[in-house]
Amino acid sequence: MDQVQLEAALPVGADPRRHARVLAKVHEAALSGDALPSHPRAVIGASWQRMRRLGLDPDRGAPVPALVPEELEARRRESGLAAVLPALRGGLISLAEQAAHILVVVDADGRVLWRDGSTAVRRRADGLGFFEGVDWHENVAGTNAIGTALVARHPVQVYSAEHYVRNQHDWTCAAAPLHDPRDGKLLGAVDLSGPASTVHPTTLALVDAVAKLAEAHLRTTHLSELERLRGLASPLLAKVKGRAVITDPHGWIAASAGLVPVGRIALPNDVTAGRAWLPAYGNCLMEPLPGGWLVRLTEEEDAPPTRVVLDLKSARESTLRVSGAAGAWSHRLSPRHAEMLYILARHRQGRSASELSLDLFGDAGRTVTVRAEMSRMRRHFGGILLGRPYRFADDVEVVVERPSDGEVLPHSVAPAVRA
């Protein structure tokens, strides 16, 4: 994922009240179709466009029922965020209470899982409908730091009338997404919200720093789990004939025999015991282990995939589905990888690094970034993607599934799809 420069909602030296009045005029002009007195920040303008395409009500949003307690508890268990809750609270709760803010943690769908901080602000948030169990994704609540950070996949601060829904104009919020370091999956976001009068440009940097600490905690936990699996793997591989690797459930390799070790291989999302085709190795036999998989390479002739489906239907998650004689598997894609694969699907003859750079960034000079990302993808999908130029293999059928009319495209893929 590209490094994003943090952008505070309040310009340096700006008077908060005067800036709020300017934002209110811009917001009303944008909704009425009048000429804008000034332009909103790029991240806000892009979100407003998504809200208009959705037809979201700027007075009410699109409220959906809150989760009942049993559903909320289930979401908390499934989110993968309970393990980092102490780190998030430890880094932010003191500030939240002192600065008249609340700390909010949501899952990848934008559902509020935990909320803490100033009692007075929590009561005020209750009146807004901003409490545990509600959906605060921007498709429901309009442009806001939580929902927009989940879509943009980078930290966002939103102030006053930058919120799309009018009843949030008295608020300011700063949120940063949280990703699982094992597979890059979006887990949710952490947010600080409070009255608009409490806006401060450093809040965004603080939230981003605490989110990175939480992700570092997950990374440390993962390395410990991988080391434990490595202890199990060494004696087991000594008894295995032929080439094999032992991986954790996410494809991270703990040990290998007869193969040049790599960091990670792509496993099917729904991997099961038995025969499977893996992009890195071809035909394999999968055997379950406590906390991972024993992957044995077979000597049979490889049966490469014959069909690849790039699924962009969901605005929240893109998927690559692969099928062939040896079975089928699917793999979640980061927004950047989904965009790159879409471009390659449109250009079956292939794209050079400079052409991909121009497609992605409007700048042909960012070839180092392009080559690094393509190298990561080719390590995962070696039997599908070729180089010089970068392209899908000629004998693979590629199908792109796009959203139906009126639905919002995945954030980073949208510009390329509309091109």
Side-chain angles (χ1 to χ4, degrees), residues 124-140:
R124 187 169 175 176
D126 289 342
L128 186 65
F130 185 28
F131 47 81
E132 291 175 344
V134 300
D135 189 339
W136 216 249
H137 195 278
E138 69 167 24
N139 290 357
V140 172

Side-chain angles (χ1 to χ4, degrees), residues 80-227:
L81 292 171
V84 298
L85 195 59
L88 297 175
R89 283 179 168 152
L92 294 173
I93 193 62
S94 178
L95 173 70
E97 292 174 341
Q98 293 175 16
H101 275 63
I102 53 174
L103 165 66
V104 180
V105 180
V106 305
D107 66 13
D109 292 328
R111 287 284 186 173
V112 177
L113 301 182
W114 292 279
R115 194 190 68 164
D116 209 339
S118 166
T119 301
V121 179
R122 274 185 286 161
R123 285 197 296 265
R124 187 169 175 176
D126 289 342
L128 186 65
F130 185 28
F131 47 81
E132 291 175 344
V134 300
D135 189 339
W136 216 249
H137 195 278
E138 69 167 24
N139 290 357
V140 172
T143 304
N144 71 90
I146 289 172
T148 304
L150 291 175
V151 175
R153 301 293 181 99
H154 63 71
V156 175
Q157 186 176 31
V158 178
Y159 171 59
S160 188
E162 288 184 325
H163 292 89
Y164 190 77
V165 179
R166 291 187 178 94
N167 66 359
Q168 298 172 31
H169 286 188
D170 292 335
W171 288 79
T172 183
C173 47
L178 295 159
H179 293 88
D180 190 331
R182 296 172 298 184
D183 56 10
K185 179 184 176 182
L186 179 66
L187 297 175
V190 58
D191 165 82
L192 281 178
S193 290
S197 60
T198 64
V199 64
H200 198 284
T202 62
T203 305
L204 182 63
L206 178 62
V207 170
D208 179 49
V210 172
K212 286 182 169 62
L213 285 175
E215 290 176 346
H217 174 78
L218 290 175
R219 189 175 296 110
T220 300
T221 301
H222 173 233
L223 291 176
S224 298
E225 293 171 347
L226 205 59
E227 190 60 34

Side-chain angles (χ1 to χ4, degrees), residues 314-337:
S314 171
R316 305 185 186 187
E317 185 175 273
S318 301
T319 304
L320 187 71
R321 300 198 303 271
V322 180
S323 58
W329 56 266
S330 63
H331 187 79
R332 285 184 294 267
L333 297 170
S334 70
R336 175 63 72 211
H337 287 177

